[in-house]
Amino acid sequence: KLKVSVLISGRGSNLQALIDACRAPDFPAEIVMVVSNRPDAQGLFRAQAAGISTAVIEPRDFPDKVSFDRAMTEILESSGTGFICLAGFMRLLSPEFVDHWRDRMINIHPSLLPLFPGLDTHRRALDAGMRLHGCSVHFVRHEMDSGPIIGQAAVAVLDGDDPDSLSSRVLEAEHLLYPWCLELVARGMVTVTGDTCRIAGHTTALSP
Ligand code: GAR
């Protein structure tokens, strides 16, 4: 099985979706560690409840981003991590870290990238008058919320939606999309060529 670590900063609902998916005996990945940059991340309890090792690594204990990121790589490699899932990890990663884990690190983002990278995606989608919104799972590149897209799930924007109602429907889609994309990668069905992905025998759009 692919040995995966999940990096979080908060609630960890996507972590939970990955934990639940990994429980299926034929799922091709296992979570070996959960790492948080915040000691109060709720997701740490989810990991502990599932019997997964956790590590907290706080930026304030390091002089700069590069040394923080190096320490994180050390922790990850000591646990046998071969692949990283970012799941609400709200910290920009150094180019060195991104290069080290190139094509071995994916992220979930609450928009149909390349639209709306960054924060506050649901409000921005509403303000732009979008009728479709959703989420994306992609390999991580230097620029924030960019990189080859593995899969996307689309969610209709409904009349009367506000950022909260829209985000809760997108979140449900995230919980389906993330395990599905991880499974495709772990089964070796995803080939990255430069800045795009090819998926063997699959469509890359999911409509929950
Ligand atoms: C999720 O909506 C995820 O897509 C988003 O943070 C939330 C984390 O929720 N990530 C980003 O915005 C990354 N740019 P969770 O902790 O419950 O999984």
Side-chain angles (χ1 to χ4, degrees), residues 8-16 43 46 86-90 107-111 117-122 135-136 138 144-145 167 170-171 174-175 178:
I8 61 167
S9 299
R11 179 177 58 184
S13 72
N14 278 290
L15 163 66
Q16 188 67 57
R46 300 178 189 268
L86 304 178
F89 186 71
M90 303 311 258
N107 177 47
I108 188 156
H109 180 74
S111 78
L119 297 174
D120 213 12
T121 57
H122 308 297
C135 49
S136 308
H138 63 94
M144 180 185 57
D145 301 324
S167 80
V170 170
L171 194 63
E174 292 183 42
H175 298 161
Y178 212 173

Side-chain angles (χ1 to χ4, degrees), residues 27-49:
F27 196 81
E30 63 178 315
I31 302 174
V32 293
M33 171 126 88
V34 170
V35 179
S36 173
N37 63 326
R38 299 182 53 125
D40 58 349
Q42 207 190 317
L44 289 168
F45 295 106
R46 300 178 189 268
Q48 282 150 15

Side-chain angles (χ1 to χ4, degrees), residues 90-170:
M90 303 311 258
R91 208 182 129 78
L92 291 177
L93 296 160
S94 60
E96 187 185 310
F97 187 88
V98 172
D99 289 343
H100 184 84
W101 295 97
R102 191 184 160 97
D103 297 343
R104 297 188 297 151
M105 174 162 60
I106 62 179
N107 177 47
I108 188 156
H109 180 74
S111 78
L112 294 174
L113 292 172
L115 293 174
F116 312 121
L119 297 174
D120 213 12
T121 57
H122 308 297
R123 178 177 301 282
R124 287 156 63 209
L126 287 169
D127 288 350
M130 299 292 294
R131 288 293 175 189
L132 271 182
H133 183 43
C135 49
S136 308
V137 172
H138 63 94
F139 285 96
V140 176
R141 294 292 185 260
H142 290 176
E143 216 175 302
M144 180 185 57
D145 301 324
S146 77
I149 295 170
I150 302 164
Q152 295 185 308
V155 169
V157 178
L158 305 178
D159 289 340
D161 260 337
D162 59 22
D164 282 347
S165 62
L166 185 55
S167 80
S168 68
R169 289 205 312 288
V170 170

Side-chain angles (χ1 to χ4, degrees), residues 2-100:
L2 185 65
K3 290 189 186 319
V4 175
S5 279
V6 184
L7 271 51
I8 61 167
S9 299
R11 179 177 58 184
S13 72
N14 278 290
L15 163 66
Q16 188 67 57
L18 294 173
I19 290 173
D20 294 345
C22 287
R23 276 194 233 280
D26 58 344
F27 196 81
E30 63 178 315
I31 302 174
V32 293
M33 171 126 88
V34 170
V35 179
S36 173
N37 63 326
R38 299 182 53 125
D40 58 349
Q42 207 190 317
L44 289 168
F45 295 106
R46 300 178 189 268
Q48 282 150 15
I52 299 167
S53 314
T54 59
V56 174
I57 170 164
E58 290 191 83
R60 64 165 188 218
D61 294 333
F62 296 87
D64 52 36
K65 189 183 283 293
V66 168
S67 53
F68 173 87
D69 285 0
R70 279 186 192 148
M72 207 156 51
T73 288
E74 232 169 77
I75 293 173
L76 291 165
E77 289 184 338
S78 70
S79 70
T81 301
F83 197 86
I84 295 174
C85 290
L86 304 178
F89 186 71
M90 303 311 258
R91 208 182 129 78
L92 291 177
L93 296 160
S94 60
E96 187 185 310
F97 187 88
V98 172
D99 289 343
H100 184 84

